Amino acid sequence: MTHSNHPVTEVVIEADCWQAEAAAEAIVLRAIETAAEVIDAGTGAAELAVMLTDDDHIRQLNASFRGKDKPTNVLSFPAAQPDVQGDGAPRMLGDIAIAYQTVRREADDEDKPFDHHLSHLAVHGFLHLVGYDHETDQEADEMEDAERLILARLGIPDPYAGQDRVN
C-alpha cells in the first residue's frame, strides 16, 4: 500500500493537558490519513499542521478569527492557495486547532470514547481544509456523509446517529 496520497501532517502539542492522552498524536495522524484516503482529496505532498491546545488559547483564536469569544472544540484555518505552485514547493492545506478541555467535556457529556471524539474532530477539521463546509443544509449533509464514511473506516460509530442537526 502506498502512502502517496497522505498529506504530511505535523502535530504540535502546545498544552500540557494533552499529556493525559498519550495516544493523541497517533489518533490525529491516523484520522487524517484515513480521511485523505477515503475522500481522495489529492493531498499527496501537501502539508498541514494540527495544534493540540487548550480552551484558553482556542478561545483567543475563536475570538480573533470568528468573532466568538468562547472556547470551541476544533478550528480550521485553510491556507490561501496560490495561483501558481512553485516548483517542488509543498502545497499548504492549512492548520487545525483542537482544544483538550472542550473535547474531553463533549466526549464525557455524549458518553463517547475520547479517541472517537478526537478522531471525529480531526476528520472534521481536515475536511474543512480540503473545501468541505456546513453553511447550508446540503453542504452539512455532504460533510456529515464524508465524516460517517471516514469514521466507519476507522471503526467509529456514526457520531450523528439519533441527533438532529445543530447549526
Side-chain angles (χ1 to χ4, degrees):
M1 181 167 144
T2 68
H3 293 294
S4 58
N5 64 342
H6 290 175
V8 176
T9 305
E10 180 184 4
V11 177
V12 178
I13 300 174
E14 187 205 63
D16 290 342
C17 48
W18 282 95
Q19 291 174 0
E21 297 294 334
E25 181 174 357
I27 290 164
V28 167
L29 291 172
R30 182 169 173 251
I32 289 172
E33 285 180 3
T34 303
E37 285 172 12
V38 170
I39 63 166
D40 194 21
T43 54
E47 295 182 3
L48 68 138
V50 179
M51 179 175 59
L52 299 179
T53 190
D54 59 23
D55 276 7
D56 288 341
H57 189 196
I58 212 161
R59 188 185 127 261
Q60 293 169 5
L61 293 171
N62 207 18
S64 297
F65 292 98
R66 297 178 67 225
K68 298 182 180 186
D69 190 12
K70 62 181 184 182
T72 188
N73 49 23
V74 61
L75 290 173
S76 296
F77 302 97
Q81 296 302 324
D83 293 334
V84 178
Q85 198 64 43
D87 285 342
R91 180 166 65 105
M92 294 304 299
L93 294 178
D95 300 314
I96 300 168
I98 302 175
Y100 177 79
Q101 295 97 323
T102 299
V103 177
R104 167 55 63 201
R105 187 171 57 252
E106 289 173 348
D108 292 347
D109 288 351
E110 297 168 24
D111 205 23
K112 292 178 180 172
F114 181 86
D115 62 320
H116 287 190
H117 195 46
L118 178 58
S119 294
H120 180 202
L121 295 172
V123 166
H124 186 88
F126 175 77
L127 290 175
H128 275 303
L129 295 186
V130 297
Y132 283 78
D133 212 332
H134 43 80
E135 294 298 314
T136 67
D137 283 349
Q138 181 180 346
E139 287 174 341
D141 287 343
E142 290 171 6
M143 188 165 185
E144 289 175 12
D145 287 347
E147 289 173 356
R148 284 186 187 98
L149 274 173
I150 295 160
L151 293 171
R153 176 86 58 93
L154 289 164
I156 296 172
D158 178 358
Y160 298 107
Q163 74 179 39
D164 294 324
R165 172 171 307 122
V166 179
N167 283 339

